[in-house]
Amino acid sequence: MTLEEKIASLETRTGSNRPPREFRQLIQKYIPHTLKIPAIQVAGTNGKGSTVTWLSLLADCPVIGVFTSPHMFSHFERIQINHQPIPAQDWERLYDTWLTLFEQHQFTMFEADLWMALIWFAENDADLLLMEVGLGGGRDATTALDYLATGITNIGRDHMQLLGDTLEDVARAKAGVFKRNVPAATCEENPAILQLLKEEARKAGTTLVVSPPVELPDSFPRYQESNLGLALALLNLAQIRSLPIKQAEQSFFWPGRMQIICHSPLQVVDGAHNPEGVEALCQSMPAVDRICFSVLADKQAPEMIRRLLETGRDLVLVHFDSQRLANLEALSRQFHLPVITLEQALAETGSVLYCGSLRFAAAVLQGKHQTRIH
């Protein structure tokens, strides 16, 4: 098997993760030393990756391991130390070493990635781990670990086919990260959902701190102020010294999130892919004339489209290569919008925002990169 074939094989391991308690038992049996590394967990709907990035830039620790998902271009991006992805040879070595166990216990891709990440972090003497929840909270594999602090960015309408039919259902699923005597923080602003989270924290045996936003320069979208505030609150709860914010501002970068790919004319890529994410995007809408939008079938496309239309920008739907793509023709008829190809979207010469899906954002970034090469 080539490395590419091994990655492809792992990415077919879909399905539900086992309960965190069962996953922890396996960790304790085979790699118990990995549980000793201090860690912070970040859950939520939007902003998890950004919050983890702020944490990685602010935490005064020499060696910081980051586990995050999904990836934009390379599977190795999911496992990083000090902003550098795991080398291919290390990933392959760990995969080959543990493949028998992965198959024996029918690990999902997420569980296998987390398993390899923990070992690699331990091998490199990580001082702090920043663990991003993959889905929900209470049943997420990352919840099997011990934490100095845990946070929830916000609660939004995403993955509702798995987490529940209402915002309250989603909130309860996310609140599964709360643990007895593990301090928690959130930047959630919805009063009803915030009250629900506080009650779930109380039931779990901890208290929930509400982190205020921290002002950033105008070059940042406003929603990053909440993510930064949460990161600072989590470091405080974890009793980890924070480096200067100005220093973090200069280094902050999270691909596919309000990423400028051309300044003149202004062209921006943002992976907002649920109603709350699109709302935050609209509140910091870049000065573009056109929006190129594409969306996956399991997302709430009509609500996102209606909000984007309220901005007054010209809106078009974009086909790109994904088996999970929504029925764009049906959306076109419903909203009387044109549908174009990815190639046509990439050829846009005016000011444009590309949004609606992280996969679409990755396709645009990859396409723009190839265009520049040629």
Side-chain angles (χ1 to χ4, degrees):
M1 250 191 187
T2 66
L3 174 60
E4 290 72 21
E5 288 171 336
K6 291 172 184 177
I7 294 172
S9 176
L10 182 65
E11 290 180 348
T12 65
R13 292 179 174 272
T14 57
S16 299
N17 296 326
R18 72 201 70 232
R21 181 176 298 179
E22 292 181 16
F23 192 65
R24 183 182 178 89
Q25 289 171 349
L26 290 171
I27 295 174
Q28 289 175 321
K29 181 176 181 179
Y30 293 101
I31 52 171
H33 61 291
T34 65
L35 292 172
K36 299 176 182 178
I37 310 173
I40 294 174
Q41 183 186 31
V42 180
T45 301
N46 299 303
K48 296 191 298 292
S50 293
T51 301
V52 166
T53 299
W54 284 117
L55 282 165
S56 70
L57 295 170
L58 289 165
D60 188 11
C61 298
V63 183
I64 299 177
V66 168
F67 180 71
T68 186
S69 63
H71 63 271
M72 292 290 286
F73 304 112
S74 166
H75 198 98
F76 308 135
E77 297 167 20
R78 295 167 178 254
I79 305 170
Q80 300 184 28
I81 287 180
N82 291 352
H83 309 285
Q84 296 301 312
I86 183 172
Q89 62 269 25
D90 284 332
W91 189 95
E92 187 169 25
R93 168 179 58 83
L94 292 170
Y95 179 84
D96 291 343
T97 300
W98 294 97
L99 179 58
T100 300
L101 182 133
F102 296 162
E103 293 178 338
Q104 177 185 354
H105 292 280
Q106 298 181 319
F107 272 33
T108 63
M109 176 189 72
F110 190 86
E111 290 172 333
D113 279 333
L114 176 55
W115 190 272
M116 292 188 289
L118 291 172
I119 298 170
W120 191 59
F121 295 153
E123 288 178 349
N124 286 273
D125 298 320
D127 300 290
L128 176 67
L129 305 185
L130 304 175
M131 312 301 289
E132 179 185 340
V133 169
L135 177 66
R139 289 189 60 87
D140 192 79
T142 61
T143 303
L145 308 183
D146 297 324
Y147 292 104
L148 300 173
T150 189
I152 294 181
T153 55
N154 60 59
I155 305 300
R157 286 160 289 178
D158 204 3
H159 301 296
M160 296 183 77
Q161 71 279 13
L162 298 172
L163 301 182
D165 297 329
T166 68
L167 210 56
E168 288 76 12
D169 290 335
V170 176
R172 290 188 185 92
K174 305 283 186 185
V177 299
F178 296 146
K179 292 183 178 181
R180 180 171 296 279
N181 297 326
V182 177
T186 184
C187 57
E188 174 62 56
E189 296 181 346
N190 182 316
I193 298 302
L194 182 56
Q195 185 57 41
L196 186 153
L197 290 175
K198 287 181 177 179
E199 179 61 21
E200 292 298 315
R202 185 193 64 78
K203 291 178 183 177
T206 188
T207 54
L208 183 65
V209 173
V210 181
S211 61
V214 175
E215 186 175 357
L216 283 166
D218 291 340
S219 57
F220 285 86
R222 293 282 70 82
Y223 58 78
Q224 287 296 359
E225 295 182 339
S226 295
N227 297 332
L228 171 57
L230 179 58
L232 289 168
L234 287 170
L235 289 176
N236 182 57
L237 291 175
Q239 298 183 12
I240 294 174
R241 182 174 176 271
S242 176
L243 297 170
I245 295 175
K246 289 295 182 183
Q247 179 179 316
E249 288 175 7
Q250 295 169 1
S251 302
F252 183 87
F253 175 69
W254 187 237
R257 277 72 169 184
M258 204 69 87
Q259 182 178 348
I260 298 174
I261 54 176
C262 181
H263 286 274
S264 183
L266 181 63
Q267 296 192 341
V268 182
V269 175
D270 192 274
H273 55 278
N274 53 53
E276 286 73 20
V278 166
E279 176 61 35
L281 173 60
C282 290
Q283 291 179 8
S284 297
M285 178 61 65
V288 298
D289 297 321
R290 168 171 279 205
I291 299 173
C292 289
F293 177 83
S294 200
V295 62
L296 302 185
D298 60 344
K299 306 301 178 182
Q300 294 176 295
E303 189 169 349
M304 289 189 276
I305 290 173
R306 291 189 188 97
R307 182 64 183 94
L308 290 170
L309 286 171
E310 290 176 1
T311 67
R313 270 68 170 187
D314 182 34
L315 181 65
V316 298
L317 307 177
V318 183
H319 266 292
F320 76 103
D321 186 18
S322 173
Q323 295 180 344
R324 295 173 55 197
L325 191 65
N327 186 337
L328 298 186
E329 285 69 27
L331 291 170
S332 172
R333 292 191 296 270
Q334 181 179 354
F335 292 97
H336 309 290
L337 296 173
V339 181
I340 64 175
T341 65
L342 176 61
E343 290 72 23
Q344 290 172 313
L346 293 173
E348 290 279 350
T349 57
S351 59
V352 60
L353 166 68
Y354 302 92
C355 68
S357 161
L358 285 170
R359 291 177 184 266
F360 177 50
V364 170
L365 291 170
Q366 186 68 36
K368 290 287 187 179
H369 176 70
Q370 291 175 346
T371 299
R372 286 193 289 269
I373 289 176
H374 295 307

